[in-house]
Amino acid sequence: MKADDNNTFPKNLDFLAKILKGLNLNYTDVAKAAGITPQLVAYWFDHDDIKLSRLTYTMESLNISIECSFERIETQQEVQIKEDEYEIEMENVLKFKRETSRSGFILDQALERNARLVFLAKLIKEMGLSLIDFSNLVNRKYQTIHHYFKVDDIKVSIIYDIARYTGRRVKWRLIPLKTEEH
């Protein structure tokens, strides 16, 4: 889903563009640090999507850890930039339903090993939904959601879709990594 000027939702990679601008980095700088081509970085922005694993790796190559989480919202879209933190609020599109927790083993595994998708496992647990019920809520097949946890990866666009379906906003948190002093 592409966002345009009339759309109330931000583009999927607006937060990343703001981060790079705030760090005064261009595609070439990012590519050099991550050991990739500037064309690949341009491709991410042209297609407005990137896998979470690639985003994490790229940010770590810039000496920054990036974390994702969901927060419940009740307000319209708003972008707030705080020190070392970029928050993007999504419009509350769909009310979620509470059900008995039947989340299953795959979520417990993600939580125990602090997987890349721990934020998603926490959301599902918080909502008290089974993986099947959550899949239905976010309009995805159960096997697809299960696969995300199995490979511990997901596209940023899907994270935003999940936020919209669950009435949440996506919050990206930047944490400078410690550097070794020589």
Side-chain angles (χ1 to χ4, degrees):
M1 171 189 291
K2 290 273 187 189
D4 59 27
D5 293 336
N6 298 326
N7 195 337
T8 59
F9 299 114
K11 287 185 173 183
N12 298 322
L13 296 185
D14 279 354
F15 77 95
L16 184 56
K18 288 179 187 341
I19 291 169
L20 298 181
K21 185 177 180 181
L23 295 172
N24 199 27
L25 296 174
N26 61 32
Y27 291 177
T28 305
D29 299 328
V30 173
K32 228 180 256 187
I36 56 178
T37 66
Q39 291 84 359
L40 180 57
V41 178
Y43 177 88
W44 298 338
F45 285 96
D46 288 346
H47 289 84
D48 195 28
D49 215 355
I50 184 175
K51 281 190 171 185
L52 187 59
S53 59
R54 178 61 85 170
L55 174 62
T56 302
Y57 172 80
T58 301
M59 294 308 292
E60 285 176 356
S61 70
L62 296 170
N63 207 29
I64 299 169
S65 174
I66 189 165
E67 295 176 354
C68 184
S69 62
F70 292 107
E71 292 182 348
R72 187 183 295 189
I73 59 167
E74 302 298 331
T75 62
Q76 292 285 45
Q77 171 189 346
E78 175 181 320
V79 177
Q80 300 174 354
I81 300 177
K82 298 179 181 178
E83 186 177 328
D84 289 335
E85 194 170 312
Y86 294 77
E87 295 183 349
I88 301 172
E89 293 189 19
M90 306 299 291
E91 183 178 21
N92 187 359
V93 180
L94 183 69
K95 300 286 184 196
F96 66 89
K97 60 181 182 177
R98 292 204 174 268
E99 292 185 5
T100 311
S101 180
R102 302 180 307 271
S103 303
F105 181 68
I106 195 107
L107 296 180
D108 294 335
Q109 270 188 327
L111 293 168
E112 286 172 10
R113 61 185 167 97
N114 200 21
R116 198 171 13 247
L117 297 187
V118 70
F119 69 96
L120 185 55
K122 286 179 181 178
L123 173 66
I124 297 168
K125 287 276 196 179
E126 172 192 311
M127 294 178 73
L129 297 175
S130 70
L131 213 50
I132 292 171
D133 291 337
F134 182 79
S135 301
N136 291 332
L137 176 67
V138 298
N139 201 24
R140 295 268 191 262
K141 292 181 178 178
Y142 165 79
Q143 293 86 346
T144 304
I145 300 291
H146 190 273
H147 177 74
Y148 297 151
F149 283 106
K150 198 92 165 134
V151 298
D152 195 26
D153 209 359
I154 193 170
K155 286 191 169 191
V156 168
S157 60
I158 297 167
I159 294 171
Y160 282 103
D161 285 346
I162 289 170
R164 284 190 285 274
Y165 279 115
T166 60
R168 303 280 194 289
R169 68 178 171 166
V170 178
K171 179 179 177 183
W172 297 99
R173 184 166 180 251
L174 303 177
I175 305 160
L177 295 172
K178 294 182 183 188
T179 58
E180 295 180 26
E181 295 186 28
H182 295 91

